[in-house]
Amino acid sequence: MGPLKELVGGNVMWLKASERGRLLDIGCGNGYFLVQMRDLGWDVVGVEPDPKAVKVARDHFGLRVFQGTLEEAKFPDDSFDVITMNHVIEHVPDPIGLLSECRRILKPNGKLVVVTPNIKSLGRYLFGKSWVHWDPPRHLFLFSSKSLRTCAEKAGLKVQRLWTPAKGALWMWMTSRLIKCDGFIPGGLLNKVSLRLKMEMIMFWTVEYIINRFRYVGEELALEASK
């Protein structure tokens, strides 16, 4: 998979163009991803705890979004063909419980796709305490490929694929460099991106992509699992 193909694949959570069905996005925010998938032919539903984001998703995009947690939504068994979670599992106090609930509401041949920061990424080693994905106190857990696989298996899921995309390297480099220099991510972030920093971002992304073909050091973990 080439670097640009990896970026495009990540935008649709690596779902295939031939796939269709009922899709649940957990932590859907304002619904941008759901709108994109709806336009591709999916029957979409979201779960989001932030009332302001839910209002945008409902009023502006006309989406079906439950306000609250997945457990509070109480979806029936075998409800969804696909469940996606993009940078959500690191925020919850009980990752295995969340994955178990996903398993319950997946259809027998359904698919769960999870994306989360990789604690063993190249960026984490390079930036140390300035690595953006530490993000305390919002991030309660950070995973390696081994620990994420263990959580999925303890939840009764069958891991089909587990890999480390490098697609998050651009954003990670920009934000971590600013944290290292300023001690925080400043407001007006885009105004802080100099030409030099943009070049550094592209160079780091390229290097990480190449190394990641031989060692799993991408900035994110991506898990695909089934019942």
Side-chain angles (χ1 to χ4, degrees):
M1 181 185 294
L4 293 178
K5 188 175 180 181
E6 183 181 83
L7 286 174
V8 173
N11 287 338
V12 293
M13 296 291 279
W14 293 279
L15 298 175
K16 298 176 182 177
S18 59
E19 292 179 296
R20 292 293 185 276
R22 195 168 187 228
L23 182 150
L24 172 67
D25 188 36
I26 301 170
C28 68
N30 63 15
Y32 178 81
F33 172 72
L34 288 177
V35 171
Q36 177 178 270
M37 301 311 289
R38 183 177 63 185
D39 291 345
L40 292 173
W42 290 85
D43 176 18
V44 299
V45 181
V47 170
E48 171 58 46
D50 183 349
K52 292 182 179 179
V54 170
K55 182 174 176 57
V56 173
R58 291 174 179 172
D59 296 349
H60 186 69
F61 294 121
L63 294 166
R64 290 171 291 163
V65 176
F66 176 84
Q67 182 183 325
T69 66
L70 178 63
E71 291 79 6
E72 291 168 343
K74 299 186 185 302
F75 292 113
D77 292 354
D78 306 333
S79 291
F80 297 99
D81 297 285
V82 169
I83 299 174
T84 57
M85 286 193 288
N86 190 4
H87 285 250
V88 170
I89 194 169
E90 65 270 20
H91 294 271
V92 301
D94 183 6
I96 295 175
L98 176 62
L99 293 171
S100 297
E101 181 67 0
C102 288
R103 183 187 183 281
R104 182 185 70 79
I105 62 176
L106 267 180
K107 292 182 180 180
N109 294 317
K111 178 190 295 185
L112 170 68
V113 184
V114 178
V115 176
T116 188
N118 177 19
I119 191 67
K120 293 192 174 182
S121 74
L122 182 59
R124 182 270 203 231
Y125 287 116
L126 287 177
F127 284 102
K129 65 181 182 181
S130 298
W131 186 53
V132 67
H133 289 304
W134 292 120
D135 198 12
R138 299 193 316 135
H139 286 181
L140 304 180
F141 292 94
L142 289 169
F143 300 89
S144 66
S145 57
K146 181 178 179 181
S147 62
L148 185 60
R149 178 185 291 273
T150 297
C151 287
E153 291 174 346
K154 284 185 176 293
L157 291 161
K158 298 175 183 177
V159 177
Q160 305 297 335
R161 282 203 301 161
L162 180 55
W163 69 105
T164 66
K167 71 179 185 66
L170 293 166
W171 184 83
M172 184 287 305
W173 181 270
M174 174 179 63
T175 50
S176 297
R177 281 278 280 113
L178 292 171
I179 291 171
K180 188 172 184 178
C181 292
D182 301 337
F184 60 94
I185 301 175
L189 177 60
L190 294 179
N191 296 328
K192 299 287 184 178
V193 183
S194 64
L195 178 59
R196 177 180 175 178
L197 182 52
K198 289 178 181 178
M199 294 301 295
E200 288 179 1
M201 289 160 55
I202 294 170
M203 289 176 63
F204 176 76
W205 173 42
T206 304
V207 169
E208 181 167 286
Y209 176 79
I210 293 170
I211 296 175
N212 197 44
R213 298 178 66 184
F214 308 99
R215 296 183 64 187
Y216 298 119
V217 294
E219 292 309 308
E220 296 170 308
L221 295 165
L223 170 86
E224 182 182 307
S226 62
K227 279 194 171 181

